Amino acid sequence: MKTISENRCFGGVQGVYSHHSDACACDMTFGLFLPAEARDGPVPVLWYLSGLTCTHENAMVKAGAQGWAAEQGIALIFPDTSPRGDDVADDEAYDLGQGAGFYVNATQAPWAPHFRMWDYVAEELPQLAFDTFPLERERQAITGHSMGGHGALTLAMNLPDRYRSASAFAPIAHPSASDWGRKQLAAYLGADQASWAPHDATLRMRETGFDRPLLIDQGTDDPFLDLLQPEALAEAMVSARAPGTLRMQKGYDHSYFFVATFMEDHVAFHAEALYA
């Protein structure tokens, strides 16, 4: 693993690191914030998954999470959103290929050799992080924005014993019924929609429910609201009688200004579960 940078941040350290990924068959980069408490021993972890076109850097720089995480003594991990490199498949569209991994393991050409973001985020990067840094494996939570909100919710629902809590900012809540989802799931996983279901938070909620603490924020002025479909997830939560909160935030859009506004709430929400 290579250290790209380490900067003092709210009494802790914001680092950026790269490593070779066996899952993605390329070099990958991630950000890690360690609070001051990590100098004395392992600390809980909040994973932050980013959205379309983002790298590890967007949320690390724009979300304003480090100050709130420092107050709670929580580490933050910011993975990249896809494999990258000259030999990695890509597409001219912004919403497919590099920067748009959708947190799935691709089975279709030309994506299958590299686009294994589910294995990367669920298995490989956690193993590397917990082996290298003072992090508590038993105290993890997960959040994300847009495509990353989709990833956070589906990872939490499919690995219910892994994360003590889950949250999302404007997640792609029903991708199998949205143009932000059908295109990507078909490209990465093929035409059989049965293979899509584990990667659709609404379908997972309908099938299995979710009994961990759950918080979702969605802006009412989000220009992508029709693509995100929060109402489908809300209906599924009610049908499953799942505990959780979905807040429609009046006047907010899809930007990092929206994310930063409610980041304090989300970090505090996760801290309550992580320290319970």
Side-chain angles (χ1 to χ4, degrees), residues 56-236:
H56 69 281
E57 188 175 32
N58 296 71
M60 188 180 78
V61 173
K62 297 179 180 180
Q66 291 92 338
W68 306 120
E71 285 193 6
Q72 302 287 354
I74 293 172
L76 301 167
I77 300 181
F78 305 96
D80 203 347
T81 56
S82 78
R84 298 181 191 274
D86 292 341
D87 61 341
V88 176
D90 202 5
D91 191 272
E92 292 182 359
Y94 75 96
D95 57 354
L96 187 68
Q98 295 187 38
F102 249 75
Y103 304 102
V104 301
N105 286 338
T107 60
Q108 307 299 302
W111 314 107
H114 297 282
F115 281 74
R116 302 190 62 82
M117 287 301 294
W118 182 277
D119 283 354
Y120 179 69
V121 173
E123 303 298 336
E124 185 178 31
L125 184 55
Q127 188 65 52
L128 174 66
F130 289 115
D131 286 349
T132 308
F133 300 100
L135 305 170
E136 285 194 62
R137 192 182 299 269
E138 300 305 316
R139 291 202 285 178
Q140 299 183 61
I142 191 165
T143 189
H145 172 226
S146 195
M147 180 186 72
H150 140 78
L153 294 178
T154 55
L155 279 159
M157 290 178 183
N158 283 284
L159 301 170
D161 296 328
R162 171 80 60 86
Y163 308 102
R164 294 195 178 188
S165 53
S167 74
F169 301 86
I172 301 174
H174 195 11
S176 65
S178 167
D179 288 342
W180 268 2
R182 294 184 61 84
K183 170 185 175 180
Q184 294 83 0
L185 295 175
Y188 295 141
L189 301 178
D192 181 5
Q193 296 190 22
S195 67
W196 304 1
H199 302 288
D200 186 310
T202 295
L203 297 182
R204 290 297 295 166
M205 183 65 73
R206 289 174 184 168
E207 181 178 352
T208 65
F210 187 66
D211 64 359
R212 295 288 188 175
L214 176 63
L215 173 63
I216 300 167
D217 275 312
Q218 172 64 62
T220 62
D221 286 9
D222 191 322
F224 308 114
L225 201 54
D226 290 343
L227 295 169
L228 302 172
Q229 300 194 29
E231 68 279 2
L233 180 56
E235 291 170 2

